Amino acid sequence: RKEVEQDPGPFNVPEGATVAFNCTYSNSASQSFFWYRQDCRKEPKLLMSVYSSGNEDGRFTAQLNRASQYISLLIRDSKLSDSATYLCVANGGSNYKLTFGKGTLLTVNP
Amino acid sequence: EAGVAQSPRYKIIEKRQSVAFWCNPISGHATLYWYQQILGQGPKLLIQFQNNGVVDDSQLPKDRFSAERLKGVDSTLKIQPAKLEDSAVYLCASRASGRGYEQYFGPGTRLTVT
């Protein structure tokens, strides 16, 4: 079983749609979690951290369920500029080693 | 603030040749990472340095890959000899010490092995 598994995608949605990404992790010792965004042929960039209580940043909401080892990202009112690959990431331990999922490609269409 | 610098940006070599990549992290960042990202996959950690010491190299194919970070600043990653399956983007990232600090990635080096 992979350490971090994501919806395979790709997702194609119209502008204004709500889209949800799901992710599970296998290492119960993972301490912190993130969503990274990667544009085509660019480097990954941190989108947001994920906290147990859930957190929101504008149109983006992240949730963490430690009991189920499940992470989600919700994008509301999607924009053309949201088109990218979304990477689910878990921090495995004290060395701050990040484990990335395969990523899910999102295309927002006009 | 300058970001993570990498060079070259692109490299094409034949199998069995050698190649080296260079990374200059953000000034003051003690932790440096090298990742391999194969097309369609997420980045996979190859090696992590804390200053000039190796913290984790468990996924580095040590028969052909080597990395060093002399003086705890710049780093080089070498492949010798290259195989076709080494075709990937090699990403360098750095992070400041302490909890909760973000990893910042460089633009990567796109390697094609023919």
Side-chain angles (χ1 to χ4, degrees), chain A residues 38 43 46 95-97 101, chain B residues 33 37 42 48 56 95 102 106:
Chain A
Q38 187 170 26
E43 70 272 23
L46 179 65
N95 288 336
Y96 211 78
K97 172 183 172 180
Chain B
Y33 308 81
Q37 187 172 24
Q48 176 183 346
D56 186 336
R95 176 178 167 266
E102 176 182 350

Side-chain angles (χ1 to χ4, degrees), chain A residues 39-98:
Chain A
D39 293 300
C40 186
R41 302 180 79 87
K42 299 285 190 180
E43 70 272 23
K45 292 186 178 178
L46 179 65
L47 177 65
M48 59 196 303
S49 302
V50 187
Y51 304 116
S52 296
S53 54
N55 49 299
E56 188 173 306
D57 182 3
R59 298 181 293 108
F60 299 83
T61 301
Q63 296 275 357
L64 167 63
N65 184 321
R66 286 189 186 272
S68 304
Q69 296 184 196
Y70 169 85
I71 306 159
S72 66
L73 175 69
L74 187 76
I75 305 176
R76 292 180 300 278
D77 187 24
S78 53
K79 311 290 185 190
L80 296 177
S81 57
D82 295 332
S83 297
T85 295
Y86 290 82
L87 296 158
C88 178
V89 187
N91 170 22
S94 58
N95 288 336
Y96 211 78
K97 172 183 172 180
L98 299 186

